[in-house]
Every structure is written in structure tokens, then in C-alpha cells.
């Protein structure tokens, strides 16, 4: 074949020609000015990408292509990087060219298991005719208010035990305001009240040498305190591991409790925010932490406003000199960011994709530094354990277990809520002694001991101690102690389908076993008769090959149905 001959001079000119503008969409001057005005004097850093996206979403109600292009230019990022992050999180509305922004007000009805049992589906069916077309209605994953089921968020405002009438009333009250303002939670102990009760005295004792690091860590170890976000790693051992790594070291606090059925962190934060902050500062002193990042789920709007105010008060009157910097970061609606490495990716302004390990976050974590990662509640107990002595905490317990557990109890019990009970208590004891028994007309049938991923057990197995390491022989685990109680008016099969739909929607998509496995499982479970053999194969592959705990634990619900509720699989009962 004869190829055309290109003159050498022309070839050289082609190579030397410089691009007149960056690749991709050019930033619209007006959009650029709007973004610059929104960001103000905010630093233009890569790790602040999600915070910047929130500012644009809050101001305009959506993320238009011209604003994303302008933000990319401001942060000196590729537009593809900005788009992939914006499109990853549920709470960002990314608009395509020519697409109109959604309604200015969104009503989110929780579709989690506890809310589903309390009538969320009926609420979703009835609300469109009542709210009209000026309001966007969405079914949402668990919003962390399971004890208030069915829970609804009208914009940023929670509606507990919602009815069509109470939702409409909240919509009208929000719509009549000139601009929706963030609901700020009140009724908590502020800084002055906390100090009046002895708050931050322990931190000063530590900083001023009246306590030494070894005695504080030893107290945590003797108490048996373990990570209360789900993994259960011993807290004192974690402090030693991170302290042994070369500095500078960082801390990341996980308040992204997205596990359906879990709300304990929210309840404790609502009433006593400084107790966990003091615990965090004591941990920072013991481990040698320079900066503390607090990652709060976006569904907790009111708590974010409150926490921002309390952090400002703490910075204005610090309890000690050279206090570590406390930085609050806002989630954007992604269950996967409850996984420690995915949370770290999100704090860095990226998609919440779990990392392959090793290395572990204690070695190479946030911004590549050794990182002490803790759940909120773990730090909540530090002050009590050190002040009162580890023996006091460890003195509680039943059936051979030690310590206290904060159970988030929801479902068919008479009195749902956070129940501080002895570790090792059984579900039968928990319902009878702490929850007022079952609701009228309901008989105890089954329970989820550890939220959506913790499996499902029948009431006939209600004498198993609820604690770390006691449920694994039965294919379950306690996780964050999110207990959902089912009655004879429910089925484990329907509960399992609800949880698998959740996992399908919340899978980050990074690994095929989880991404495809959850979708395939839902398709099988939606059929009247389950393909048990295929579900068994899916379960094995997902457990063996998924990168993180989401895919590894997602089969627990349907595995438990097959093992413990075979009678429900006969005749296609849903």
C-alpha cells in the first residue's frame, strides 16, 4: 500500500503545535465565577473535592456539567476525576447536558428493614398523590433512625414515625421558609455543661503528667474494650500498634454508621458530644497524633451543625496547649465508607473504594501516614474506663462475657432504642428486660443480631450470648450490635431480600464477586422458588474473593434463611 508522504517541515510543525486550551470541556466564565464565589478563601486542595461538591450541591440543588468543569479547573484536576467522585455518592445529583435540576425539595423515605416493617412501602405508595410534583420522593437506604420507624427526611429535617400527614406538614413548613436551613440538634451537653461535670480534667491530667501513657493503655486492655464499629479489634492493642509506627501519625474517627439497624452513635452524639471528643484527644496524646479527622455521615445534618458549633467552642477555649487539630469531614451517602479504608479514601476526596491490604491503615493510612482509626462509640468509653478503672467496665456481663454493649434495638419490640446492657445478654433477655417485650399482637419469630450483614437467626436460638465471637459458629456476628426483631407477622425470606437489595445498591462495584454477586442474588431471591445450589455457589465465591467485608458478609442473610428457615422456601413464601 502506498502511504502519502508528509513533508518533514509539516511533521515538525504538528509536533511543536501547542494545545490552546485544556483537554475536555472548557470552563464557562459565569460558572467559574459562581464556583469561585462559593469556595471563597477555601484552600484549593484535592482532598477537599467532596467538600467543594457539597457547597455546589447545597447552593444549586444539583451538580451541572458547567460547574463540575469549573471546579476541575479551580482544583487543577482532570474533569474525569471530578465526575467520577461526584457520580459515586448518592447525595450528589449529577446533571447531564440539557437535564433539568430536580425539585428543590427531596423527601427521602427510609426503605431499611425496620422501616419496611413499620409501613415504609405504604408510605411511598401514598405520598405521591399527597405531595404532588413539586417535591421529589425517593426510597432511601437506612437513615440511622430505626427506633423512629418509619423514618423520613424532608430535605435535611427528620420526621420520626412518619405518616402522610406529618410528612406533608413538614414539607409545608420547609417550603414556607425563605431558604431551607439546616436543622441543628439541641438538648445536648455543651462545652460549659460538660466541663462543669468534670469534663476534660482527665485529658489535662494526661497532658500534665499526672497520668502516663502506659497506665492509660493498660486500663483499656484490662477493660476488654474492643472496637465498637463492628470489627471488634482490641482498642488498647490498636493504640500500641499505631504508636510504634514512625510519625507523623493521624487519626480518623468513623461516624458513618450506615449498617441498617444501627443508630447508637447518633444517639450518644446527640446527648454528649464532648465525651467522645475527650476520648479522641486522650487517644491522640497516648499515640502521638497530630491531626484528627472526624467523618460524619451526611444523613446526620443536624448533628453536623451541632458538632461544628461545639468544635468551634473547643478551639476557642482549648483544654490544653498545642491541642491536635480537629477536622470535620462530611460524607455524601455511601454505606461502603463505613469500611475503614474506604472512609480514608473519601476523606482524601476520592471515591469510597476499599483498599487491598496489606498494608493496613495502621501502617499506611490517611495521606499515606500511620492512622489510628476508631468508631465513635469506642472513644466514647475511654474517659469512663480510665477514670472509674477497667474493673468497673469489665464487671458487667452475662454468660461468661465481660463488659457493656450498646444495642441498637428496632423492629417488633414495644420499646425500641439504644439499650446499654451487659455483654453476653441473650436476645430473649434483651427483649424481656430492656425492650418491654414484643409489640401487642406479635410473637417473637426471628432476629438479626448484627444488622443487615450479621445474619438471621430463629427465636428458637434465642439463648445465644450476644457478644463478639459467640455468633460466628452459627454463621452470624454481632458487628455493631444492631438488633432487628422479627415477629410471626414477618418472614426471614423477605428480610433477607430487603438486605440483599441494600447490598446491591451499596456495593462500590470495585470487585466483580460483590458487584455481580449481590445483583445475581437479588434476582434469584425475587423468584418464588430460590435456586439454592446457585445461591450456595454465589455465597462461596463472594466470601472467598470479595475485597472487603460488604461482599464477604452479604451472603449471610440468605445463607441463614436456607439453613434455619427451610420451611419458608417451600411454596415460594415471601
Amino acid at each position: 500500500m502506498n502511504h502519502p508522504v508528509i513533508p518533514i517541515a509539516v511533521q515538525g510543525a504538528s509536533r511543536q503545535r501547542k494545545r490552546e486550551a485544556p483537554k475536555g470541556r472548557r470552563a464557562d466564565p459565569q460558572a467559574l465565577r459562581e464556583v469561585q464565589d462559593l469556595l471563597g478563601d477555601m484552600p484549593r486542595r484535592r482532598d477537599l473535592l467532596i467538600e467543594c461538591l457539597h457547597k455546589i450541591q447545597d447552593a444549586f440543588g444539583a451538580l451541572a456539567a458547567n460547574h463540575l468543569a469549573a471546579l476541575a479547573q479551580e482544583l487543577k484536576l482532570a474533569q474525569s476525576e471530578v465526575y467520577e467522585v461526584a457520580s459515586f455518592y448518592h447525595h450528589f445529583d449529577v446533571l447531564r447536558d440539557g437535564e433539568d435540576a430536580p425539585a428543590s425539595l427531596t423527601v427521602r423515605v427510609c426503605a431499611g428493614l425496620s422501616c419496611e416493617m413499620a409501613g415504609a412501602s405504604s408510605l411511598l405508595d401514598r405520598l405521591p398523590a399527597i405531595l404532588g410534583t413539586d417535591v421529589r420522593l425517593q426510597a432511601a437506604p437506612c437513615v440511622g433512625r430505626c427506633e423512629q420507624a418509619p423514618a423520613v427526611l424532608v430535605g435535611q429535617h427528620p420526621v420520626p414515625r412518619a405518616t402522610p400527614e406529618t410528612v406533608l406538614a413538614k414539607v409545608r413548613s420547609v417550603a414556607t421558609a425563605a431558604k431551607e436551613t439546616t436543622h441543628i440538634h439541641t438538648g445536648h451537653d455543651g462545652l460549659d455543661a460538660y466541663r462543669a461535670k468534670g469534663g476534660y480534667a482527665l485529658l489535662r491530667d494526661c497532658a500534665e503528667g499526672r497520668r502516663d501513657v502506659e497506665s492509660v493503655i493498660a486500663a483499656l486492655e484490662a477493660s476488654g474494650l474492643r472496637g465498637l464499629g463492628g470489627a471488634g479489634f482490641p482498642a488498647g492493642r490498636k493504640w500500641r500498634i499505631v504508636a510504634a509506627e514512625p510519625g507523623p501519625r493521624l487519626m480518623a474517627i468513623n461516624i458513618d454508621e450506615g449498617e441498617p439497624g444501627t443508630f447508637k452513635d447518633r444517639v450518644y452524639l446527640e446527648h454528649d458530644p464532648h465525651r467522645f471528643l475527650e476520648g479522641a484527644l486522650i487517644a491522640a496524646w497516648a499515640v502521638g497524633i497530630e491531626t484528627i479527622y472526624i467523618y460524619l455521615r451526611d444523613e446526620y445534618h443536624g448533628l453536623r451543625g451541632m458538632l461544628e458549633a461545639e468544635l468551634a467552642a473547643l478551639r476557642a477555649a482549648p483544654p490544653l496547649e498545642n491541642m491536635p487539630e480537629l477536622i470535620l469531614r462530611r460524607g455524601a451517602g455511601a454505606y461502603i465508607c463505613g469500611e475503614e479504608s474506604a472512609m480514608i479514601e473519601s476523606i482524601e476526596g476520592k471515591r469510597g473504594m476499599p483498599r487491598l491490604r496489606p498494608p493496613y491503615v495502621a501502617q499506611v493510612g490517611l495521606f499515606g501516614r500511620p492512622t489510628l482509626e476508631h468508631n465513635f462509640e469506642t472513644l466514647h468509653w475511654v474517659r469512663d474506663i480510665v477514670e472509674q478503672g477497667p474493673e468497673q467496665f469489665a464487671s458487667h456481663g452475662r454468660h461468661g462475657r465481660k463488659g457493656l454493649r450498646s444495642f441498637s434495638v428496632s423492629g417488633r419490640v414495644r420499646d425500641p432504642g439504644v439499650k446499654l446492657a451487659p455483654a453476653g445478654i441473650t436476645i430473649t433477655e434483651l427483649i424481656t428486660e430492656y425492650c418491654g417485650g414484643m409489640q401487642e399482637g406479635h410473637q417473637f419469630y426471628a432476629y438479626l443480631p448484627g444488622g443487615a450483614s450479621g445474619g438471621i437467626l430463629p427465636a428458637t436460638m434465642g439463648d445465644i450470648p450476644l457478644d463478639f465471637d459467640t455468633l460466628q459458629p452459627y454463621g452470624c456476628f454481632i458487628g455493631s450490635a444492631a438488633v432487628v426483631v422479627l415477629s410471626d407477622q414477618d418472614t426471614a425470606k423477605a428480610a433477607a431480600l430487603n438486605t440483599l437489595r441494600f447490598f446491591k445498591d451499596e456495593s462500590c462495584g470495585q470487585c466483580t464477586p460483590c458487584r455481580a454477586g449481590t445483583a445475581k442474588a437479588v434476582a434469584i431471591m425475587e423468584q418464588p422458588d430460590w435456586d439454592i445450589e446457585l445461591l450456595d455457589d454465589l455465597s462461596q465465591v463472594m466470601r472467598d474473593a470479595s475485597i472487603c467485608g460488604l461482599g464477604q458478609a452479604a451472603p449471610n442473610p440468605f445463607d441463614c434463611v436456607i439453613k434455619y428457615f427451610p420451611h419458608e422456601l417451600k411454596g415460594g413464601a415471601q
Side-chain angles (χ1 to χ4, degrees):
M1 180 183 294
N2 293 324
H3 297 280
V5 177
I6 301 175
I8 294 177
V10 176
Q11 289 179 330
S14 298
R15 286 196 298 266
Q16 295 172 4
R17 184 181 301 149
K18 294 184 178 180
R19 189 175 298 280
E20 296 177 358
K23 296 176 69 174
R25 183 191 300 269
R26 299 188 187 185
D28 174 72
Q30 176 63 26
L32 183 59
R33 285 193 294 272
E34 291 171 345
V35 168
Q36 289 171 338
D37 289 343
L38 276 176
L39 301 188
D41 58 0
M42 184 177 181
R44 273 44 169 183
R45 298 201 315 261
R46 175 66 173 80
D47 64 292
L48 293 174
L49 173 56
I50 293 174
E51 300 294 318
C52 295
L53 290 169
H54 273 304
K55 285 183 173 293
I56 299 172
Q57 174 85 26
D58 291 346
F60 297 101
L63 300 174
N66 58 349
H67 286 135
L68 292 179
L71 180 60
Q73 180 170 318
E74 271 297 286
L75 298 183
K76 295 181 174 58
L77 295 174
Q79 291 181 31
S80 59
E81 289 184 79
V82 174
Y83 179 84
E84 72 177 11
V85 172
S87 59
F88 180 85
Y89 295 92
H90 297 316
H91 290 186
F92 293 140
D93 294 302
V94 180
L95 303 180
R96 298 180 179 180
D97 286 334
E99 185 178 5
D100 294 331
S104 59
L105 184 62
T106 297
V107 172
R108 292 185 173 92
V109 178
C110 179
L113 178 57
S114 299
C115 289
E116 176 66 27
M117 291 192 292
S121 292
S122 174
L123 202 57
L124 282 164
D125 290 339
R126 296 174 62 188
L127 282 175
I130 296 172
L131 299 180
T133 58
D134 294 334
V135 176
R136 180 173 59 163
L137 181 65
Q138 291 182 334
C142 183
V143 299
R145 297 181 177 274
C146 315
E147 85 282 24
Q148 302 169 5
V152 172
L153 294 178
V154 175
Q156 299 178 345
H157 302 264
V159 182
R161 300 174 185 86
T163 65
E165 294 73 24
T166 57
V167 172
L168 179 60
K170 180 61 72 174
V171 167
R172 286 174 173 169
S173 69
V174 172
T176 54
K179 180 177 175 60
E180 185 187 358
T181 56
T182 299
H183 165 78
I184 297 180
H185 174 82
T186 57
H188 62 282
D189 275 354
L191 179 58
D192 291 342
Y194 182 72
R195 278 183 163 144
K197 297 177 182 178
Y200 291 110
L202 175 60
L203 175 64
R204 289 194 297 274
D205 285 348
C206 293
E208 295 170 6
R210 289 182 290 276
R211 301 265 187 173
D212 63 86
V213 171
E214 179 57 33
S215 67
V216 170
I217 296 180
L220 294 188
E221 292 174 330
S223 72
L225 180 66
R226 295 172 65 168
L228 297 172
F233 194 87
R237 191 192 309 171
K238 183 181 287 190
W239 288 20
R240 291 191 189 279
I241 290 171
V242 179
E245 295 292 325
R249 307 173 196 92
L250 302 174
M251 186 190 300
I253 301 173
N254 190 340
I255 322 180
D256 191 64
E257 56 173 2
E259 182 72 33
T262 310
F263 49 91
K264 62 182 177 63
D265 291 354
R266 189 205 88 232
V267 170
Y268 284 136
L269 181 56
E270 283 176 340
H271 295 97
D272 202 358
H274 285 280
R275 188 169 297 272
F276 110 86
L277 289 173
E278 183 169 11
L281 290 169
I282 290 170
W285 161 80
V287 178
I289 300 292
E290 295 185 352
T291 307
I292 301 170
Y293 287 82
I294 304 169
Y295 190 85
L296 180 67
R297 73 179 304 197
D298 196 35
E299 287 84 352
Y300 294 168
H301 291 281
L303 290 180
R304 187 177 68 254
M306 179 271 283
L307 194 50
E308 286 173 341
E310 294 304 328
L311 286 172
L314 192 63
R315 295 184 190 106
L320 70 165
E321 295 182 3
N322 302 316
M323 186 177 73
E325 186 177 8
L326 291 151
I327 299 173
L328 181 61
R329 286 292 173 86
R330 179 180 175 185
Y335 165 74
I336 193 64
C337 289
E339 195 275 339
E340 61 177 7
S341 65
M343 177 187 68
I344 284 173
E345 289 286 297
S346 190
I347 292 173
E348 292 180 356
K350 305 171 187 174
R351 295 176 295 169
M353 296 284 204
R355 297 176 179 177
L356 289 169
R357 287 165 286 187
Y360 297 95
V361 297
Q363 303 162 316
V364 182
L366 190 56
F367 306 117
R369 303 307 312 167
T371 301
L372 179 66
E373 192 276 340
H374 267 312
N375 169 256
F376 164 90
E377 195 203 348
T378 310
L379 297 168
H380 173 89
W381 290 111
V382 168
R383 177 186 164 191
D384 282 0
I385 289 172
V386 177
E387 282 186 342
Q388 299 172 16
E391 299 81 8
Q392 201 282 332
F393 185 83
S395 66
H396 300 275
R398 292 187 187 177
H399 307 294
R401 313 302 295 181
K402 292 183 179 181
L404 291 166
R405 294 289 173 267
S406 300
F407 294 94
S408 303
V409 186
S410 62
R412 302 298 190 182
V413 295
R414 193 184 299 271
D415 181 25
V418 175
K419 311 298 178 180
L420 184 61
I425 193 172
T426 68
I427 183 62
T428 304
E429 294 168 338
L430 186 65
I431 293 171
T432 303
E433 299 176 30
Y434 288 83
C435 302
M438 297 292 291
Q439 292 176 359
E440 190 71 28
H442 292 262
Q443 293 185 356
F444 180 35
Y445 174 67
Y447 64 108
L448 286 73
S453 56
I456 309 173
L457 292 172
T460 54
M461 299 175 67
D463 59 350
I464 302 170
L466 297 176
D467 198 15
F468 297 112
D469 310 320
T470 60
L471 295 156
Q472 280 86 335
Y474 308 96
C476 299
F477 57 81
I478 192 171
S480 58
V483 177
V484 183
V485 179
L486 310 184
S487 79
D488 54 347
Q489 299 183 25
D490 308 303
T491 68
K493 188 177 181 183
L497 178 57
N498 179 285
T499 61
L500 262 293
R501 284 172 174 160
F502 171 81
F503 291 132
K504 174 190 171 184
D505 292 340
E506 294 296 330
S507 173
C508 74
Q510 180 178 193
C511 64
T512 302
C514 178
R515 180 185 67 249
T518 53
K520 185 64 175 178
V522 168
I524 296 170
M525 296 167 70
E526 287 176 337
Q527 300 304 311
D529 296 310
W530 289 7
D531 186 334
I532 306 301
E533 184 177 354
L534 184 52
L535 283 174
D536 285 342
D537 287 344
L538 277 174
S539 175
Q540 191 64 50
V541 171
M542 292 170 70
R543 293 180 188 282
D544 290 345
S546 294
I547 290 175
C548 81
L550 191 158
Q552 294 163 11
N556 284 344
F558 63 76
D559 280 348
C560 285
V561 172
I562 294 169
K563 184 175 182 179
Y564 300 117
F565 303 89
H567 58 281
E568 291 191 16
L569 301 177
K570 299 174 182 178
Q574 287 290 341

